[in-house]
Amino acid sequence: MDINKDLVAASATPLVLAILAEADSYGYAILKRVSELSGGRLEWSDGMLYPVLHRLERLGYVSGTWATSDVGRRRKYYRITQRGREQLDAQRRQWQTVDAALRNVWSVLAAHATPDLLPQEC
């Protein structure tokens, strides 16, 4: 299933902040984690992730530090800041509100659709 670009973009900030709230991480690992968390339905590219990380860094929601990994590769590791945690909490509440509203709408639509699915009496 293709997910609309606007929806992917809107969910990028809370997803990245939530992943970094679990643990410090770097680009490739964040991409893998997004795929894992979505059951493979969200496949982000480098070209999508790094602008998000740079924006979050500019906003003070994450901080980045260059370091050498255990295998000798230089990587930029990202860490969520206190400001980022506050933003994550705010976004979580907003998404929960949107999720609840959509669930209610789907439920109402399903209830109205059910009579259409029943056999018609003659």
Side-chain angles (χ1 to χ4, degrees), residues 9-30:
S11 63
T13 293
L15 276 170
V16 169
L17 291 177
I19 289 167
L20 294 176
E22 290 178 331
D24 297 355
S25 192
Y26 56 94
Y28 180 72
I30 294 170

Side-chain angles (χ1 to χ4, degrees), residues 29 41 65 68:
R41 288 173 292 215
T65 305
T68 303

Side-chain angles (χ1 to χ4, degrees), residues 78-93:
Y78 294 91
R79 169 177 288 182
I80 191 168
T81 64
Q82 182 56 39
R83 189 172 179 184
R85 289 184 187 281
E86 291 165 6
Q87 181 62 22
L88 176 60
D89 286 343
Q91 293 223 354
R92 179 181 304 131
R93 288 190 301 274

Side-chain angles (χ1 to χ4, degrees), residues 51 54 65 69 106:
H54 295 158
T65 305
S69 71
W106 305 148

Side-chain angles (χ1 to χ4, degrees), residues 97-113:
T97 300
V98 170
D99 176 60
L102 287 172
R103 287 178 191 270
N104 287 334
V105 166
W106 305 148
S107 179
V108 168
L109 289 176
H112 289 280

Side-chain angles (χ1 to χ4, degrees), residues 28-96:
Y28 180 72
I30 294 170
L31 292 174
K32 283 182 51 179
R33 188 70 178 131
V34 167
S35 181
E36 289 170 9
L37 290 169
S38 70
R41 288 173 292 215
L42 293 176
E43 293 292 336
W44 290 3
S45 66
D46 293 356
M48 187 207 155
L49 175 63
Y50 286 103
V52 172
L53 286 169
H54 295 158
R55 182 175 48 81
L56 295 177
E57 202 169 14
R58 274 195 318 274
L59 293 169
Y61 298 159
V62 303
S63 62
T65 305
W66 285 98
T68 303
S69 71
D70 295 340
V71 295
R73 294 183 75 173
R74 281 191 45 82
R75 293 179 174 145
K76 191 168 186 179
Y77 289 86
Y78 294 91
R79 169 177 288 182
I80 191 168
T81 64
Q82 182 56 39
R83 189 172 179 184
R85 289 184 187 281
E86 291 165 6
Q87 181 62 22
L88 176 60
D89 286 343
Q91 293 223 354
R92 179 181 304 131
R93 288 190 301 274
Q94 292 172 24
W95 278 98
Q96 287 171 335

